[in-house]
Amino acid sequence: MFQTIEWTLAGTVRLIDQRRLPLEEVYVECRDVAAVADAIQTMQIRGAPAIGVAGAMGLALAAKAIRAGSYDEFFRELSRQGEELSRTRPTAVNLAWGIDRMKRCAEKSKDLPIPAIVQALIREAQAIRDEDIRGNRAMGEHGKGFIADGAAVLTHCNAGALATAGYGTALGVIRAAHAAGTRLSVWVDETRPFLQGARLTAWELHQDDIPVTLIADNMAGHLMQRGRIDLVVVGADRIARNGDVANKIGTYTLAVLAKEHGIPFYVAAPISTLDLSLKSGEEIPIEERSPEEVTTWAGVRTAPVGISAANPVFDVTPARYITAIITDRGVARPPYDASLQELAARA
Ligand code: MRU
């Protein structure tokens, strides 16, 4: 089984290069925070919880390299590098969450000598990774009952082991149902333009011997109309207080289609994806990436030279389209204002 991201014995961050999957299984070793920032920005590592772990590990690498005469000086530099790291991808709140948690860890250890603070930060980053895997397994247990025997599930993008520290959120729910003996099959949207569904989700499910059928994104409506999709399960990059969910571009379209056809639509995400500071999804920043991701594939142009292209890479699904939000602490049901805050307050 591959490792999405780990802290090595040599004190570096090792991650699987997701741009080269499924054709090549190649690992990248990051020795400093700049290399981690680059890996996040260029999507060698992607997926909200995975970039949360990468951000934390990146900051641990930064901490190792800081030369400071006092705690205050150390913390100022750590915060500055954290700010820079969190700007690499703005939509998924897990990145800023991971960095904040590292800063809180530094503050808690402020009375220790700086080398001991650095050790505490390295342990914290590893704890964030381990907790993510445990949380995904818990999410799987909370969500597996939503998949009935014989069900056909549709998923979008990659919310699997590759998008997290391991096991996955939406794919964690599917994996848990499969492991419990539920017979199921999965429709996977290819997820233009970066093809996370075709390259990553199809690869993960195929490796686990879970029946998978790949479709182009524009086929989902037809399959719903013909009764061939029983439920939809997706991940999330940020969830506002009212239950609006930002996730990979195309998720909103699926949610509207699902409602039209009376198909349940589930979101699976850890509590770290919840941003209680935002009243609604309108406040979630949507990352725009290079138009080249739309006009080319693997260096080959697929559109006329000189054409303009847009590339917003996330969209917001209003809470009214979401049947339930499956978290590591339990399942939230509408009205989400109350249920999400109740789960967030739970230890
Ligand atoms: O642009 P990406 O590949 O980072 O987008 C990832 C997604 O939208 C996932 O669905 C989301 O992060 C949830 S991953 C458990």
Side-chain angles (χ1 to χ4, degrees), residues 43 46-49 89 157-159 163-164 169 196 235-237 247-248 314:
M43 295 181 57
R46 30 68 49 204
R89 295 207 69 196
C157 193
N158 173 266
T164 61
T169 58
Q196 289 95 331
D237 288 85
N247 191 48
K248 180 52 54 194
F314 298 99

Side-chain angles (χ1 to χ4, degrees), residues 139-159:
M139 214 177 296
E141 290 308 304
H142 295 308
K144 68 182 183 191
F146 291 123
I147 304 180
D149 198 44
V153 188
L154 172 70
T155 192
H156 189 65
C157 193
N158 173 266

Side-chain angles (χ1 to χ4, degrees), residues 86-166:
S86 66
R87 276 197 291 270
T88 51
R89 295 207 69 196
T91 301
V93 75
N94 306 61
L95 179 56
W97 171 89
I99 289 164
D100 274 356
R101 195 166 139 175
M102 294 292 279
K103 282 167 59 185
R104 281 203 305 278
C105 168
E107 282 180 308
K108 266 191 264 162
S109 340
K110 69 189 289 182
D111 296 327
L112 300 176
I114 288 175
I117 302 177
V118 172
Q119 287 312 310
L121 287 169
I122 294 171
R123 283 195 301 273
E124 185 75 351
Q126 288 170 298
I128 291 173
R129 175 185 181 272
D130 297 346
E131 283 168 27
D132 185 62
I133 300 173
R134 279 201 299 279
N136 291 337
R137 291 204 171 260
M139 214 177 296
E141 290 308 304
H142 295 308
K144 68 182 183 191
F146 291 123
I147 304 180
D149 198 44
V153 188
L154 172 70
T155 192
H156 189 65
C157 193
N158 173 266
L162 289 164
T164 61

